Amino acid sequence: LRLDAHEYIATAVNQGVFDEEFIYKLYGGPLIRTAGIFADYIKHVNDDMYPGRGGRIYENILILAKRFEEREERKNEKRQPPA
């Protein structure tokens, strides 16, 4: 999927249109990877191309990717055996 498609999905999840659990299971990994791959580009778009937008270009994918990353971390913590 393209960056714009992931932003569309993330916007729909953040607005409650798409079910977050379903999207997490279906696109969680790819969405996290896409946000990471394009992080520098998104920063460039917000800082250099559209500074008047207050960093809101592609904000939904960043917000949702952060939530999904946190879910992954919690899931991984549960899998680790106690020390």
Side-chain angles (χ1 to χ4, degrees):
L1 291 174
R2 298 182 338 238
L3 178 59
D4 288 339
H6 283 290
E7 177 67 7
Y8 169 80
I9 291 167
T11 301
V13 170
N14 290 337
Q15 294 297 315
V17 176
F18 292 170
D19 180 67
E20 184 168 332
E21 184 65 24
F22 176 75
I23 296 298
Y24 174 73
K25 289 179 179 178
L26 189 63
Y27 292 114
L31 194 138
I32 291 168
R33 285 190 299 278
T34 299
I37 289 166
F38 286 98
D40 290 339
Y41 172 74
I42 293 170
K43 182 170 177 20
H44 165 68
V45 167
N46 281 295
D47 294 349
D48 302 327
M49 296 174 67
Y50 299 99
R53 294 276 181 101
R56 298 191 64 196
I57 308 291
Y58 296 115
E59 74 176 344
N60 286 290
I61 191 173
L62 297 176
I63 291 168
L64 189 59
K66 182 174 171 57
R67 279 204 314 266
F68 284 179
E69 286 172 344
E70 290 168 354
R71 287 176 75 158
E72 289 290 310
E73 288 172 10
R74 286 192 304 273
K75 189 168 66 172
N76 290 335
E77 286 173 1
K78 289 179 182 177
R79 288 184 183 168
Q80 293 179 356

